[in-house]
């Protein structure tokens, strides 16, 4: 069964990345998981993202869990992408250097 093999491989990936988290607590390794960069360089994140489209919900759940645990946003929402709000609505790009330049006009 194809889904069973994929689930087994996802379990192995999760265990490998968890072992890397454990290594990251050791003084010799620094504070980062030594396997994350290699996994990313090998296209692992792209493969996990592709498995989010898999028809088997267990495969989807395992892929999402790995992505969220090891590659998720650490700071939450990017404040540069979120619009500023005023009492009457949203203000997009207010206070940014581009917005100031646009108000003054462009000189070529």
């Amino acid at each position: 069964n194809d889904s069973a093999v994929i689930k087994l491989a996802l379990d192995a990936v999760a265990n490998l990345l968890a072992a890397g988290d454990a290594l990251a607590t050791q003084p010799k390794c620094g504070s980062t998981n030594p396997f994350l960069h290699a996994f990313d360089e090998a296209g692992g994140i792209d493969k996990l993202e592709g498995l989010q489209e898999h028809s088997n919900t267990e495969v989807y759940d395992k892929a999402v869990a790995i992505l969220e645990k090891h590659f998720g946003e650490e700071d939450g929402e990017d404040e540069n992408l979120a619009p500023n709000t005023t009492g009457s609505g949203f203000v997009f790009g207010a206070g940014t250097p581009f917005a100031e330049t646009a108000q003054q006009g462009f000189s070529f």
Side-chain angles (χ1 to χ4, degrees):
N1 186 336
D2 186 45
S3 295
V5 172
I6 293 171
K7 289 188 290 186
L8 184 63
L10 288 172
D11 286 338
V13 167
N15 289 334
L16 179 71
L17 294 176
D21 287 342
L23 283 174
T25 63
Q26 302 298 316
K28 293 179 184 178
C29 288
S31 62
T32 59
N33 184 328
F35 302 136
L36 292 180
H37 182 71
F39 185 78
D40 182 21
E41 288 293 314
I45 294 174
D46 294 333
K47 297 295 183 186
L48 289 174
E49 288 173 345
L51 288 174
Q52 292 182 70
E53 303 294 324
H54 200 276
S55 60
N56 186 306
T57 56
E58 290 179 62
V59 169
Y60 166 84
D61 290 339
K62 287 177 184 277
V64 168
I66 293 168
L67 284 168
E68 287 178 349
K69 181 174 182 181
H70 298 285
F71 302 100
E73 284 290 322
E74 294 177 12
D75 299 327
E77 187 176 297
D78 185 352
E79 70 273 358
N80 295 323
L81 297 177
N84 295 326
T85 57
T86 65
S88 61
F90 296 106
V91 179
F92 292 91
T96 63
F98 177 77
E100 293 166 8
T101 304
Q103 289 174 351
Q104 297 170 358
F106 295 99
S107 60
F108 295 98

